[in-house]
Amino acid sequence: MGDGGSRGLFRYLVADESDDYVAIMDYFTDVLLADTTAADIAATLTAGGHHLDRDVAENRCRQLVAWGNLGEAGRDTRVGSIGDYVRATARYRPTVLGGRVHREATALLSSHDGAREVTRESLARICDELSHIDAATDTGFAIDPNTLAGHVTGVFVHHNAFTDSIADFYTYLAEASGRPDLSDEDYTEFKLLLLDYIDVITSDLSRHATQICTTVQRLLPRIDDLLSALPDPGLPSGTITRSPGRTRDEWEQLASWYDEDAGPRQLRDAAATALNRLLTHTRSRTSEAPGFSHRADLLRLASWFSESSDEQAHRLHAATFGAYPSRHLLLGPEEPDPRIGAGTSWWNADPVSVPISLRERGDRSPRGRNARIPDPTADRSLIVAIAEQESGELADAVAELRAANDLHGAQISTPARDVLLDRLAVLLARHQELDGVYRIDDHDLGLTLTAEPGRDTTVHCPDGDLTVHGLVLRTSSPLLTPTESAPTTGVW
């Protein structure tokens, strides 16, 4: 069927009786390798809720035959006379192109007119498939032919999926950005969609395009050997349509698309055009009020950012957009952790449930009946458990320090290192010595720390080494026991 005749395959979609034609083609889509009569079609469609008379179904099927969507499967030849043969009911079946057109039309009619998700993962899959093919060529195609064919098909299937989704995505952007009367909702959707996808698409393509183009260029000298290693369907030429990737032209086109000056450049140009259209809409929306232009304010703010240092830019951003550091506010809901206070950042605090009165009305005025007084037993148990855990960890760290004695070269844990730093800070801050030796006794911890001028002391920890210059550090148990008159922590 020529190109002119092939266009008739689409006429049933726009004909006056298109509902009947589509229902008949849907009937053939649901069955495989079957031919049937118009009477059977009418009965099945009527049972499914689409009432269609037998004679009407016959006329619709004949029209579909004339357009090329259906073909006649012949008549029943087991008749006694020529008259019976003429009166025999014709049987119909879908043509190859007719079935293909209807499947594509059904998919198109069932889709919506929004943006199609870009199959970003296809680029990484193409690289993986090409790496398998490249490895097979290095080994003289010592690989199962069907596995090799799967890799070849995967390359072109993922490439077609990526290019088709990219074309749909940019078509949607062109349609959305070309409307002069964008509503606030449409403008926001267009802006977020563009900003979310443009950088991701271009960065992914920049990362994978060079690898794809280089691998395909390396395969081209061996492409004939690759194609000959693929399974041969054994059918005459022109009988079937081969899977993608079975000709040299397809591989050369694949390499040219991922060349830096072809597909990637085209996508970057399209992204730049879309961004310019977004800026055009932004300028028009910020300059709608006469005598007051937000555009001038934004340009002035951008110039300030351009001339600022890093520290000034952070302060300017915080002052302009109110992006101050997060702080934990009092007078809010009860915290699940009793150790959380006003100085705890939101990043470190557990989330809490904010009452509706505080969230919606900004006040804590009680409404309705008073709630029951909560039982503090659970909080007390939690505090006791936390305190016991921390006390046990602290005792283990102190015992580890006492066992080390001379700390130079000692291998201690991170909690023990923290205790050492805390006690060393107290010791050095007081600058009191006895016979040239700094010393601090902590009877609550059960630890004595001494520092004597001399060689450096290096302590090894899992997250790094601690070096104290010019001091010899030693630990031991306190020599004195705490009494009512003796301080529990001090310098002796």
Side-chain angles (χ1 to χ4, degrees), residues 297-380:
D297 296 337
L298 293 175
L299 291 175
R300 188 181 302 109
L301 179 61
S303 65
W304 292 346
F305 274 112
S306 178
E307 298 170 357
S308 300
S309 63
D310 290 344
E311 182 179 357
Q312 292 173 338
H314 287 298
R315 296 177 59 189
L316 179 60
H317 182 271
T320 304
F321 301 103
Y324 301 102
S326 58
R327 290 292 182 266
H328 194 87
L329 303 179
L330 293 177
L331 302 179
E334 298 297 332
E335 294 288 350
D337 190 341
R339 296 178 300 173
I340 300 299
T344 305
S345 171
W346 288 351
W347 295 112
N348 302 323
D350 296 330
V352 296
S353 178
V354 180
I356 295 179
S357 60
L358 183 61
R359 183 171 65 246
E360 296 185 354
R361 296 183 292 270
D363 65 79
R364 295 172 54 88
S365 302
R367 287 173 173 80
R369 61 176 183 172
N370 295 331
R372 297 178 58 186
I373 299 176
D375 185 2
T377 304
D379 290 340
R380 292 174 181 172

Side-chain angles (χ1 to χ4, degrees), residues 209-413:
T210 303
Q211 179 182 354
I212 294 174
C213 184
T214 303
T215 307
V216 176
Q217 291 288 359
R218 188 167 58 249
L219 288 173
L220 284 178
R222 299 169 287 179
I223 203 65
D224 292 332
D225 296 335
L226 170 63
L227 298 178
S228 61
L230 299 177
D232 187 358
L235 296 175
S237 177
T239 303
I240 62 172
T241 301
R242 296 293 304 275
S243 299
R246 268 53 177 181
T247 63
R248 171 179 284 273
D249 291 340
E250 291 176 298
W251 285 92
E252 292 176 350
Q253 293 173 5
L254 181 68
S256 63
W257 196 95
Y258 287 97
D259 186 80
E260 185 62 26
D261 294 330
R265 181 175 182 179
Q266 182 181 5
L267 289 184
R268 284 195 296 269
D269 293 342
T273 301
L275 288 174
N276 288 332
R277 292 181 178 179
L278 175 63
L279 292 177
T280 301
H281 281 286
T282 304
R283 285 195 296 267
S284 64
R285 300 178 73 86
T286 56
S287 304
E288 289 179 354
F292 186 78
S293 175
H294 292 289
R295 178 174 179 269
D297 296 337
L298 293 175
L299 291 175
R300 188 181 302 109
L301 179 61
S303 65
W304 292 346
F305 274 112
S306 178
E307 298 170 357
S308 300
S309 63
D310 290 344
E311 182 179 357
Q312 292 173 338
H314 287 298
R315 296 177 59 189
L316 179 60
H317 182 271
T320 304
F321 301 103
Y324 301 102
S326 58
R327 290 292 182 266
H328 194 87
L329 303 179
L330 293 177
L331 302 179
E334 298 297 332
E335 294 288 350
D337 190 341
R339 296 178 300 173
I340 300 299
T344 305
S345 171
W346 288 351
W347 295 112
N348 302 323
D350 296 330
V352 296
S353 178
V354 180
I356 295 179
S357 60
L358 183 61
R359 183 171 65 246
E360 296 185 354
R361 296 183 292 270
D363 65 79
R364 295 172 54 88
S365 302
R367 287 173 173 80
R369 61 176 183 172
N370 295 331
R372 297 178 58 186
I373 299 176
D375 185 2
T377 304
D379 290 340
R380 292 174 181 172
S381 300
L382 176 61
I383 294 175
V384 171
I386 293 175
E388 291 178 351
Q389 179 182 357
E390 293 178 349
S391 177
E393 293 175 353
L394 182 61
D396 293 340
V398 171
E400 185 177 350
L401 288 175
R402 287 200 304 264
N405 194 2
D406 188 354
L407 294 179
H408 181 65
Q411 185 79 32
I412 62 176
S413 63

